[in-house]
Amino acid sequence: MWEKVRPRSVRFAQLDRVRLRRIAVRYAAHGWQVTPGACLARHRFVCGRAGCPTTGCHPALEQWEQSATADPARVATWWRLRPHSILLATGRAFDVLEVPTYLGRYALEQARPRLFGSVSGQVRGPVAVTPGGRWMLLVRPGEPLRPELEHSLYVVRHGGGSWIPAPPTRLPEGTVRWVVSPEETRWRLADPYGVQELIVEALEAVAPALPEPLFPAHLPAPRRGY
């Protein structure tokens, strides 16, 4: 399938390959398990697996859960030839709470005054956002959703068996970016219970102006939320 991509698209994508590899290796060096994602070619993702029907962002490897690793040397080999998307396996070094923009922004704004609490109660950790406005808050793993959030249509917890696209992965709508980078928090993760408490506050205090799509089309891959 890769050979069918137009040469101009391939050349454009290759410009990102070295940068993507460098950043993927840095994630791995800090203990975050990485797996290569399909490559964006024009407006669809190409993984190279024969017969793969998925055109959205998805893992390039069929057995990605078993292959995901924090070994920098192995991660580097995946980006040797192709500009893969960078996917981070969740439920291992961290879980992710994925929320719409209004919840993510509220949680981040409320976290700033509480930044200087105890380390165990830290509510400010790395935060990434997709070009479609989905905020991904990285928290310490293992904490289930609070009862108030368990059945919420706006909050998805990504734990074991799931993944997120990591900056600077490109999606058709734009680039995934850090709102709060790992360097800003010294690679420390937020307390999951504290962050969930902020999201509960946000749900009570802020109402979205317009309904937001619950499962945006720009991330149609087989990701499981727990």
Side-chain angles (χ1 to χ4, degrees):
M1 292 181 68
W2 181 256
E3 289 75 10
K4 297 180 182 179
V5 179
R6 294 182 179 179
R8 182 179 177 184
S9 298
V10 174
R11 287 196 298 270
F12 178 77
Q14 290 289 359
L15 295 176
D16 293 333
R17 181 180 58 82
V18 174
R19 179 171 177 246
L20 288 165
R21 180 175 65 182
R22 174 174 54 82
I23 295 175
V25 167
R26 187 171 75 214
Y27 291 147
H30 283 86
W32 292 6
Q33 296 203 10
V34 176
T35 190
C39 305
L40 180 63
R42 296 180 70 87
H43 300 293
R44 67 191 298 261
F45 286 86
V46 178
C47 67
R49 287 188 276 132
C52 179
T54 306
T55 59
C57 187
H58 65 285
L61 305 177
E62 189 170 1
Q63 302 297 325
W64 70 268
E65 289 185 63
Q66 291 74 28
S67 301
T69 181
D71 177 4
R74 179 162 174 75
V75 169
T77 64
W78 285 325
W79 275 266
R80 184 170 295 164
L81 298 176
R82 295 183 179 178
H84 289 288
S85 304
I86 302 175
L87 308 185
L88 299 176
T90 58
R92 303 181 186 188
F94 55 82
D95 286 347
V96 168
L97 298 174
E98 182 178 340
V99 297
T101 297
Y102 80 99
L103 291 180
R105 183 173 289 122
Y106 181 96
L108 183 60
E109 290 174 351
Q110 293 301 311
R112 288 192 179 103
R114 310 179 198 192
L115 177 60
F116 299 102
S118 65
V119 173
S120 62
Q122 178 174 310
V123 292
R124 190 168 185 262
V127 180
V129 63
T130 71
R134 299 294 293 180
W135 286 48
M136 299 178 290
L137 294 79
L138 278 64
V139 299
R140 293 196 297 270
E143 181 74 30
L145 285 177
R146 294 173 51 151
E148 304 97 311
L149 300 177
E150 190 173 2
H151 301 293
S152 171
L153 297 177
Y154 293 101
V155 181
V156 177
R157 173 179 170 249
H158 294 285
S162 190
W163 53 267
I164 62 167
T169 291
R170 287 192 303 118
L171 301 176
E173 301 87 351
T175 303
V176 182
R177 62 183 178 85
W178 290 113
V179 176
V180 179
S181 71
E183 289 81 5
E184 289 181 65
T185 67
R186 299 182 181 180
W187 296 85
R188 289 199 295 260
L189 302 166
D191 170 59
Y193 192 86
V195 172
Q196 289 186 43
E197 185 176 17
L198 292 177
I199 294 174
V200 171
E201 290 179 16
L203 285 169
E204 296 173 348
V206 185
L210 293 172
E212 299 199 30
L214 302 182
F215 300 102
H218 60 277
L219 288 177
R223 302 161 73 220
R224 298 200 303 270
Y226 294 89

